Amino acid sequence: WPLSDKLPTGRVLRVIGHDTEPGMDITMIVMAHSWPQDFTEEALAASEKTASAVTDEDTNERLDLRNEFTVTIDGLDAKDFDDALSLTIDDCGHFQLGVHIADVSHYVPPDSPLDKDARIRTTSMYLPDRVIPMLPPKLSNGICSLKPRVDRLALSVIMELDPDGNIVNFKVTPSVIQSDSRLTYEEVDRHMSKGLIKDVQVDRLLRSLQTLCEILGKRRLARGSLNFETIEIGRASCRERV
């Protein structure tokens, strides 16, 4: 503020648009909370140097799970796929469940420009009409995204559960996987009620996951878990366990 005999002055730093434009309300919220939308030049430069494909050297000393039938299940408009599932049932009725998380740490060294930018964001921000990613798109939508039919590095938790849902054995290991199919929540919901997916392997996997889910759900209820019937916007009635 100036002296009393002068009007206050200001300087336009950025024009973000008209307040009636679609999505402007979300943009105003983002800017009001000072959420970072742009990456530093150093982080962008580091992302451009990142490999676009997994190399043979990358897979050394990693568990090779590329022959395991694996799928991702995400929202219809998801751009990055950071987790995948595999499941088989052996002759003893034991479940061999694999949960595979994209190994971002392989591409983001500690204290690197990518790491420093990611620390500021902490997580990707999922908003009604957009996603502000934690990492530049070349990583978040590229080499760190578990896209189907391409090799990707992961950290895998391999769990063996008995027919009652007890964990018999498990291991956590760096791995290399190849997702076989990209599924959405919506099509999985429809398939489980109407059987619309024709791929036999996908159907077998989903039926096995449903069986294991029901077993684990009963164990949770036995421990005192509560059931809540909720309606999600745009989706059918679903049951959430807490």
Side-chain angles (χ1 to χ4, degrees):
W1 290 83
L3 300 175
S4 58
D5 60 341
K6 295 183 179 180
L7 294 174
T9 59
R11 181 164 56 94
V12 176
L13 300 179
R14 180 177 178 183
V15 177
I16 63 174
H18 196 278
D19 61 356
T20 60
E21 291 179 9
M24 188 54 61
D25 52 343
I26 303 299
T27 299
M28 291 169 66
I29 293 172
V30 169
M31 301 194 72
H33 289 276
S34 300
W35 289 341
Q37 299 180 72
D38 302 318
F39 292 95
T40 62
E41 292 183 5
E42 293 80 6
L44 290 174
S47 72
E48 288 303 313
K49 296 178 182 178
T50 304
S52 299
V54 173
T55 66
D56 291 339
E57 184 180 358
D58 291 332
T59 64
N60 290 340
E61 301 182 5
R62 286 178 175 266
L63 181 63
D64 192 340
L65 298 173
R66 285 174 284 192
N67 290 327
E68 290 286 329
F69 188 78
T70 305
V71 302
T72 59
I73 307 176
D74 294 276
L76 187 63
D77 56 353
K79 297 295 188 298
D80 57 326
F81 316 118
D82 53 15
D83 53 77
L85 293 170
S86 60
L87 180 63
T88 58
I89 304 176
D90 63 22
D91 294 337
C92 298
H94 283 211
F95 299 90
Q96 306 293 329
L97 174 65
V99 179
H100 316 283
I101 309 298
D103 188 0
V104 177
S105 63
H106 182 84
Y107 300 100
V108 183
D111 296 320
S112 66
L114 288 170
D115 184 35
K116 291 177 180 178
D117 262 34
R119 288 187 202 176
I120 294 173
R121 288 165 171 75
T122 306
T123 183
S124 296
M125 302 177 200
Y126 294 86
L127 301 165
D129 64 346
R130 73 196 73 173
V131 175
I132 301 177
M134 185 175 67
L135 296 169
K138 185 173 180 181
L139 281 83
S140 61
N141 294 352
I143 194 64
C144 294
S145 182
L146 305 180
K147 295 181 177 181
R149 294 173 291 282
V150 290
D151 292 351
R152 287 293 184 259
L153 304 184
L155 292 175
S156 296
V157 182
I158 312 298
M159 294 164 275
E160 178 182 358
L161 299 95
D162 66 20
D164 295 321
N166 299 299
I167 296 180
V168 176
N169 196 8
F170 77 93
K171 63 179 175 181
V172 181
T173 180
S175 65
V176 54
I177 72 168
Q178 188 173 119
S179 172
D180 293 278
S181 186
R182 188 270 205 220
L183 305 177
T184 67
Y185 298 125
E186 293 81 2
E187 68 179 323
V188 169
D189 282 346
R190 291 195 299 269
H191 176 68
M192 300 313 292
S193 61
K194 299 179 181 179
L196 299 179
I197 297 177
K198 303 304 181 184
D199 189 305
V200 174
Q201 286 184 291
V202 172
D203 176 69
R204 183 185 301 119
L205 175 62
L206 293 179
R207 300 294 175 186
S208 298
L209 287 169
Q210 182 183 41
T211 298
L212 179 57
C213 179
E214 291 173 351
I215 292 171
L216 296 177
K218 290 178 181 179
R219 287 174 57 85
R220 294 179 67 180
L221 288 175
R223 296 198 304 266
S225 175
L226 301 177
N227 270 356
F228 293 97
E229 294 288 344
T230 65
I231 300 295
E232 292 190 13
I233 297 176
R235 296 184 62 187
S237 174
C238 66
R239 176 169 294 173
E240 293 184 354
R241 294 185 173 93
V242 176

